C-alpha cells in the first residue's frame, strides 16, 4: 500500500503483529495491525519486537533536526 507521511508518498508494508517473533526488526514506514489496534511506524524510525512481544520504536538520526 502507499501512505502519505510528512509531505511524501511511501510504499508501506503492512504486518500482522501476532506473526512478528521476538527479535524481529523493521524500518519504517510500516503499519503493524492487530485485532484491537494499529501501530504506525513512520519513516526514519525502526520498530523491534522485544522478548515480551512489545513493539519498541526508536528514531533513526538523519542529520536534521529531531
Amino acid at each position: 500500500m502507499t501512505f502519505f507521511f510528512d509531505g511524501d508518498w511511501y510504499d508501506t508494508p503492512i504486518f500482522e503483529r501476532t506473526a512478528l517473533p521476538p527479535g524481529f526488526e523493521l524500518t519504517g514506514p510500516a503499519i503493524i495491525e492487530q485485532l484491537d489496534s494499529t501501530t504506525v511506524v513512520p519513516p526514519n524510525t525502526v520498530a523491534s519486537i522485544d522478548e515480551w512481544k512489545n513493539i519498541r520504536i526508536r528514531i533513526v538520526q538523519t542529520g536534521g533536526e529531531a
Side-chain angles (χ1 to χ4, degrees):
M1 300 208 95
T2 304
F3 289 92
F4 194 75
F5 293 99
D6 289 332
D8 290 314
W9 290 96
Y10 291 86
D11 288 328
T12 306
I14 299 174
F15 295 89
E16 175 59 44
R17 183 173 181 180
T18 59
L20 303 179
F24 182 82
E25 188 171 276
L26 62 92
T27 300
I31 304 291
I32 302 173
E33 295 182 330
Q34 65 185 54
L35 181 62
D36 58 350
S37 68
T38 300
T39 302
V40 176
V41 183
N44 301 317
T45 63
V46 174
S48 59
I49 308 300
D50 71 14
E51 62 269 24
W52 297 285
K53 298 202 75 173
N54 296 305
I55 301 171
R56 299 178 61 98
I57 299 175
R58 69 181 187 278
I59 298 171
V60 177
Q61 184 68 350
T62 61
E65 292 183 31

